Amino acid sequence: QRRDDPVDTDRAVGCNGHFGNSRREGPVRWRHGETATSTFVNTGAAFDPATNTWTPLPTLNAPIGRAYHTAIGTGSLKKMVIWGGEGNDGLLATGGVYNVATGTWAQTANTGAPRARYIHTAVWTGQEMIVWGGYGVRKGEPMPELLDTGGRYSPTTSSWTGTTSMVGQPTSRGNHSAVWAGSRMIVWGGEDTTRQFGTGGVYDPATKLDFDDNQRSAAAAVGRHRAPHDRSVDLAARLFSRREIDGASTSSVPFLF
């Protein structure tokens, strides 16, 4: 099967505001979102590029329909975690965990979960999902609100830990990018209600420290020198070396924003 072969759409339903993830054993695409008739759906499918076929995912215990949520893969745990987003009744602080091995859904814990939000980010650390930022009130509402808070979710223990807020953390924002850099999370770009950002920050879950882009200590800041222009709706791509793809670690990995 060539990479440029058309994707079979027989089992795919068109929707926007949905997200997917992949795993090395055979990429899984899970789609959740809003159809052209503004109906939030909670269905999905796994796509196998080797056979160019879709397999519907079960709906038993699946999270309620939503859009503009996050979805991350957990690597060796062979699970997918979705969280947050917008549903029929407003913004959501709920989610679900799909177990690829058993083909079953489980709900994420509600106790200790971050505030409901959408257009936020989530990264996988190898042990936890870190959620950060986003809109706490729907865009277009009289008083839209941006968030500079988040949470860390462990699918193993089904528990939440709050991210520490400190002086110097990135400004409240949505539509930003976030990537996991091996031991820390990098946040960049995004927007608030009046502007777009060309700034960011680095979060270290081990020390629970945040550094903004104006700081220069410990090389943990996201520097302004030759930084990209202010932007929203960022897409960040990590450049993996062949050694890292094969399971070995690397000391320095660049990022594209």
Side-chain angles (χ1 to χ4, degrees):
Q1 202 76 35
R2 301 197 323 268
R3 288 188 180 183
D4 57 352
D5 283 346
V7 173
D8 174 38
T9 59
D10 286 346
R11 295 180 182 268
V13 177
C15 55
N16 62 37
H18 67 279
F19 298 88
N21 68 82
S22 63
R23 59 189 179 92
R24 293 178 187 170
E25 296 82 0
V28 173
R29 299 294 296 181
W30 186 78
R31 303 177 314 99
H32 225 237
E34 184 180 6
T35 65
T37 58
S38 297
T39 300
F40 294 98
V41 297
N42 70 336
T43 58
F47 177 70
D48 187 343
T51 60
N52 193 32
T53 56
W54 289 93
T55 302
L57 298 187
T59 57
L60 180 65
N61 295 325
I64 64 172
R66 65 192 66 201
Y68 305 108
H69 55 286
T70 49
I72 57 103
T74 64
S76 61
L77 293 182
K78 297 184 179 180
K79 296 179 180 180
M80 174 180 65
V81 184
I82 71 151
W83 190 82
E86 176 187 16
N88 288 322
D89 296 325
L91 302 189
L92 302 170
T94 60
V97 180
Y98 179 71
N99 189 318
V100 176
T102 63
T104 57
W105 285 98
Q107 300 300 307
T108 56
N110 293 325
T111 302
R115 176 177 165 181
R117 66 194 65 203
Y118 78 148
I119 318 181
H120 55 284
T121 53
V123 300
W124 177 247
T125 71
Q127 296 178 318
E128 299 175 315
M129 172 182 71
I130 303 180
V131 169
W132 191 84
Y135 281 81
V137 177
R138 287 179 175 177
K139 296 178 70 174
E141 294 291 328
M143 294 294 291
E145 182 180 359
L146 278 297
L147 303 175
D148 61 358
T149 59
R152 297 157 52 189
Y153 180 75
S154 168
T156 301
T157 62
S158 188
S159 61
W160 285 97
T161 303
T163 56
T164 304
S165 296
M166 296 184 62
V167 174
Q169 70 181 27
T171 307
S172 303
R173 64 190 68 197
N175 266 342
H176 53 285
S177 290
V179 293
W180 182 247
S183 62
R184 292 177 289 184
M185 176 178 70
I186 302 175
V187 171
W188 180 261
E191 65 181 10
D192 63 14
T193 57
T194 62
R195 57 181 172 166
Q196 296 179 348
F197 293 107
T199 61
V202 180
Y203 176 74
D204 187 335
T207 60
K208 299 181 181 178
L209 295 179
D210 295 90
F211 301 87
D212 76 354
D213 63 333
N214 294 316
Q215 293 178 301
R216 298 290 181 263
S217 61
V222 178
R224 288 290 292 168
H225 180 58
R226 296 183 179 178
H229 292 296
D230 301 354
R231 62 189 65 192
S232 65
V233 197
D234 287 315
L235 295 178
R238 183 169 183 177
L239 301 182
F240 292 94
S241 72
R242 173 53 54 184
R243 289 179 57 221
E244 184 165 49
I245 291 176
D246 292 338
S249 63
T250 56
S251 59
S252 179
V253 182
F255 293 83
L256 295 179
F257 292 91

